[in-house]
Amino acid sequence: MNAQTEVAYQRDQFFGRSRRSVPAARRFTEWSLTYWGLTEWRRAEDVTLCVSELATNALVHGVPPGRGFLLRLRYDGAVVRAEAHDSGAGVPRIVEEAGGDGQEGGRGLLLVSALADKWGVGTRAPGKLVWCEFAAP
């Protein structure tokens, strides 16, 4: 029997604890979407923006000194999924109102929840992964 197995496209990239990692994660996402033929997809910019937010959150809240984070992008023909894996403790949360807690930042996951079809947090040892998904064309 010759059954053809469909394998999802997956790209992984490790980024160090550096400000340069966020723009590098955006470029990595843009390149991956181009490689998968999704540059003209109307949600490509949303994916890139959400990856930027996940990468920023990983760096600010999840990457201890001397460590980095893994960005995993996956496309199975129906869904584009982005995951930021870090080794930090804590559970990400959405800050609902601007200025409500006296902090200037902290609205990245609010943006992710507004743009992505789904998002969530998973556990790993050590740390966590924060993911978001977009229904593909």
Side-chain angles (χ1 to χ4, degrees):
M1 174 183 243
N2 287 339
Q4 185 174 8
T5 304
E6 291 294 323
V7 179
Y9 295 110
Q10 180 173 305
R11 301 201 35 85
D12 293 352
Q13 180 69 45
F14 184 81
F15 296 93
R17 190 172 191 245
S18 164
R19 289 183 193 202
R20 294 183 301 248
S21 292
V22 174
R26 281 194 301 266
R27 287 190 302 274
F28 174 73
T29 302
E30 291 166 350
W31 186 91
S32 297
L33 294 173
T34 299
Y35 183 77
W36 296 332
L38 297 174
T39 49
E40 299 302 318
W41 178 36
R42 66 178 179 80
R43 300 188 75 191
E45 289 181 6
D46 293 346
V47 174
T48 303
L49 181 57
C50 286
V51 164
S52 181
E53 294 299 333
L54 295 183
T56 299
N57 283 348
L59 285 173
V60 172
H61 304 291
V63 178
R67 301 233 176 130
F69 70 96
L70 172 75
L71 177 60
R72 172 168 291 152
L73 300 175
R74 186 175 171 95
Y75 173 52
D76 66 4
V79 172
V80 172
R81 180 179 172 107
E83 299 175 357
H85 298 240
D86 67 56
S87 57
V91 178
R93 66 182 177 88
I94 294 178
V95 177
E96 295 291 340
E97 294 184 27
D101 59 2
Q103 295 180 0
E104 239 177 79
R107 295 341 162 269
L109 287 179
L110 184 61
L111 184 61
V112 170
S113 72
L115 294 176
D117 295 324
K118 298 178 188 175
W119 79 276
V121 180
T123 58
R124 55 181 294 243
K128 64 193 163 301
L129 68 99
V130 182
W131 58 269
C132 61
E133 293 182 345
F134 300 81

